[in-house]
Amino acid sequence: MNDLTWTPTQVRRLKELGVDLENLRADFSTPVERNKLFQQIEKKQVKKEKARLKELLTKAGKTKIETLADDLTCVLNQQGFVRVATPIIISKSALAKMTIDEDHPLSRQVYWINEKQCLRPMLAPNLYSLMVDFNRLNHRPIRFFEIGSCFRKESDGSRHNSEFTMLNLVEMGLAKEKRHDRLKELAAIIAKTAGLNDFRFENEESTVYGTTLDVVAGPANIEVASGAMGPHPLDAAWGITDTWVGIGFGLERLLMISQGDTSIGKWGKNLSYLNGIRLSL
Ligand code: ATP
Ligand code: MG
């Protein structure tokens, strides 16, 4: 075995082009030999990726994340959930009702646009506000969900985007003893619709929600969702007394796992990738 292998720049380029490095020769006798092979592989892969991009732009009509959002909307509609769309800009007071005040760790992750408003780091404050209004109706259950952008300043890039797409559903008015099973049932419906067969439930401690029921998936046990149920300590700030279950999934994480990827970059909102395809071709 020779010591000479791919340069870090070559590895980066091959990865962004989606080359499977595990099954690629990686030791060479001379740089010339290595660079020649690199150029051959790069050229071939660029051609392949250009064909995929053309296919997307001329035939597919929809990106994978859009298809996922549509499929999830369809399945949730069938389950009696109504899709809502609420503002991306939220107030400081709505965040404070989630206990996220200036001393809270999550507050450092919030993008403030002025002293009183920020980009929502989660859908929950707006969904809580709707729960307050829906609570005045006397029919039960009440089922609704939102799919939309959330924003957080994050340091770990491989599983986090500063802008990501959250799906958060809420079902109000279930019998207390049915909440746990229902939460799992709903989580499984979403995970399966997203093409995840290999997922598990875990109890986690959250600084906002207390103990959450998380869904983790894939060989690396990556969190794809966090669920909670009420009555919950946060409910008092909103004046909610009803029972509820709620769960929030990250769509880019679902996509990353269903595509067998270990990094979220290709699936997030950015100008370097579209539908997992590197655009510098
Ligand atoms: P993590 O601990 O992995 O940072 P979290 O527990 O802070 O996630 P939650 O607040 O529970 O995240 O959000 C619900 C879901 O939203 C997560 O399970 C994940 O799928 C997704 N999510 C949260 N933050 C991000 C992010 N920065 N980028 C992509 N997806 C995210
Ligand atoms: Mg979580």
Side-chain angles (χ1 to χ4, degrees), residues 81-82 124 127-128 131 142-146 167-172 174 186 243-247:
F81 287 80
V82 171
L127 300 187
Y128 252 123
M131 280 169 81
I142 289 173
R143 302 184 176 114
F144 62 104
F145 70 105
E146 177 158 11
L167 179 161
N168 204 147
L169 66 80
V170 180
E171 181 165 309
M172 298 166 69
L174 322 88
L186 289 167
T243 56
W244 58 268
V245 295
I247 188 157

Side-chain angles (χ1 to χ4, degrees), residues 235-250:
D235 296 356
W238 301 87
I240 288 174
T241 50
D242 216 333
T243 56
W244 58 268
V245 295
I247 188 157
F249 279 84

